[in-house]
Amino acid sequence: MRSRKNRLRFARSKIHDWGLFALEPIDAGEIVIEYIGEMIRQKVADHREKIYEKSGIGSSYLFRIDDDNIIDATKAGNLARFINHCCDPNCNAKIITVDTQKKIVIYANKPVAEGEEITYDYKFPIEEDKIPCLCGATACRGFLN
Amino acid sequence: WSAFAPDFRELDENVEYEEMEDEFDMVE
Amino acid sequence: PVTLSFEVTHTAPQMKLSPDGLTIFTEKGYRMSKATHGVYEGCWYYEVKFHSNEKGHARVGWSQISGDLQAPCGCDVFSYSFRDSPGTLFHQSAHVKGNDAFSAGYIDMLDAIEDGDVLGIMINLPPPT
């Protein structure tokens, strides 16, 4: 993953704002990148979500890792924070445990061509106020949540 | 939060956040 | 006897409570432990002895049963607390100041909390109408 980092690049995305792109082909099943950020507990995440909403940042850089812990990549993290959601993604997110440390890894579930945008399904919980989905996939569900 | 946020910290590993004593206090 | 409660509905599971239920410790962020008994009328009083040899802080006070266990006492609308240092009164996460505070005239004493000090906490609940 570390070596692959330089073969990914963030740039303007057709889906939304910024996206992460492959600079070389990636085989199905290969790990692409780890989603890195600050490990915070639920209560702190709830508190930050309110602060981010107020300051217009939104809360889409918070990634749940288990019942009580969340990875927050809003103000500290790596390129993985730029990966956009897609309803028909070319990657999946998975939580693995390495030496008792839980990690979020994004891996390709189908071959990714050079220059293709990396995407995964955010699997946001269903909520009242909807976030429209811009992925443009034929099987698009219309909303992120 | 833009890609070029001024105070964004790039990390190579997850970091455990050290909560502050006044983490949840309402700041005037 | 009234002690701190071992029930996870009254003490955050991450907190370490001594076998006699009288000494409590937690780390990496505030959480709350409530007593085994609740009161709704009359004048009640308890004492807290500080061991400030531990690095860290404490907020002690009163909470209704719905106070959030994953946050400090005084964080939400259900609880009221004093912080050891700097001495501050809290309710709904806000610093409560001035004479309308629920314990006016207390703050200066709080700044002086030292190892071994005993803090007395009293509440006076008039008969419910």
Side-chain angles (χ1 to χ4, degrees):
Chain A
M1 278 199 288
R2 241 181 269 292
S3 63
R4 164 163 327 278
K5 182 171 116 176
N6 356 355
R7 285 171 279 165
L8 296 167
R9 189 167 64 92
F10 75 84
R12 283 287 178 196
S13 157
K14 281 198 299 288
I15 296 178
H16 173 253
D17 213 356
W18 297 89
L20 193 65
F21 295 81
L23 291 180
E24 54 162 36
I26 301 173
D27 298 333
E30 258 201 84
I31 288 188
V32 178
I33 189 169
E34 180 188 350
Y35 190 97
I36 290 173
E38 282 179 305
M39 177 89 84
I40 57 177
R41 65 185 170 114
Q42 181 67 52
K43 187 70 194 171
V44 173
D46 296 345
H47 189 63
R48 286 191 177 185
E49 193 158 0
K50 283 183 214 134
I51 295 169
Y52 293 157
E53 296 291 341
K54 250 185 240 161
S55 50
I57 296 177
S59 57
S60 55
Y61 297 118
L62 297 170
F63 197 119
R64 175 173 297 286
I65 202 165
D66 63 24
D67 286 352
D68 190 39
N69 292 292
I70 282 104
I71 296 289
D72 180 5
T74 307
K75 301 198 173 177
N78 70 343
L79 291 180
R81 68 199 291 281
F82 291 117
I83 301 176
N84 280 311
H85 162 85
C86 180
C87 299
D88 175 21
N90 52 22
C91 291
N92 278 348
K94 194 171 168 189
I95 301 194
I96 62 172
T97 304
V98 178
D99 321 330
T100 71
Q101 291 284 323
K102 286 190 178 168
K103 293 176 180 294
I104 302 158
V105 291
I106 312 288
Y107 66 95
N109 59 18
K110 58 179 87 164
V112 179
E114 182 181 338
E116 190 180 339
E117 179 167 1
I118 309 283
T119 57
Y120 67 92
D121 186 334
Y122 282 7
K123 296 199 172 97
F124 276 174
I126 306 294
E127 285 173 327
E128 279 293 300
D129 39 354
K130 297 293 187 190
I131 306 169
C133 180
L134 312 168
C135 74
T138 39
C140 177
R141 296 190 294 266
F143 299 105
L144 261 67
N145 55 351
Chain B
W1 190 261
S2 86
F4 303 109
D7 55 350
F8 183 78
R9 268 184 310 132
E10 185 133 14
L11 301 174
D12 275 332
E13 291 282 324
N14 288 331
V15 292
E16 181 144 2
Y17 174 62
E18 280 281 313
E19 284 180 43
M20 287 141 4
E21 190 280 334
D22 57 357
E23 184 74 30
F24 302 116
D25 292 354
M26 208 90 81
V27 185
E28 270 91 20
Chain C
V2 179
T3 67
L4 291 170
S5 170
F6 288 89
E7 300 291 323
V8 289
T9 47
H10 289 61
T11 293
Q14 303 89 345
M15 299 184 93
K16 298 175 179 62
L17 188 48
S18 60
D20 65 2
L22 294 176
T23 303
I24 189 92
F25 169 80
T26 192
E27 56 185 0
K28 294 183 187 159
Y30 273 115
R31 294 178 178 91
M32 176 150 69
S33 175
K34 299 173 195 156
T36 45
H37 296 61
V39 295
Y40 64 90
E41 181 182 3
C43 185
W44 299 87
Y45 170 81
Y46 70 93
E47 292 181 342
V48 176
K49 183 166 184 180
F50 281 86
H51 302 282
S52 60
N53 48 348
E54 302 282 349
K55 188 172 70 72
H57 286 274
R59 295 186 186 186
V60 294
W62 300 94
S63 172
Q64 291 181 42
I65 195 161
S66 310
D68 187 345
L69 296 179
Q70 289 297 326
C73 185
C75 181
D76 54 27
V77 69
F78 299 110
S79 59
Y80 301 80
S81 69
F82 308 116
R83 172 171 59 192
D84 56 351
S85 94
T88 312
L89 302 179
F90 289 95
H91 176 54
Q92 283 186 264
S93 295
H95 295 191
V96 182
K97 291 196 188 87
N99 289 330
D100 61 339
F102 50 86
S103 186
Y106 187 89
I107 297 297
D108 47 345
M109 284 164 58
L110 255 183
D111 272 326
I113 287 271
E114 274 154 26
D115 187 17
D117 278 355
V118 174
L119 184 63
I121 321 264
M122 184 179 89
I123 191 166
N124 186 20
L125 298 170
T129 53

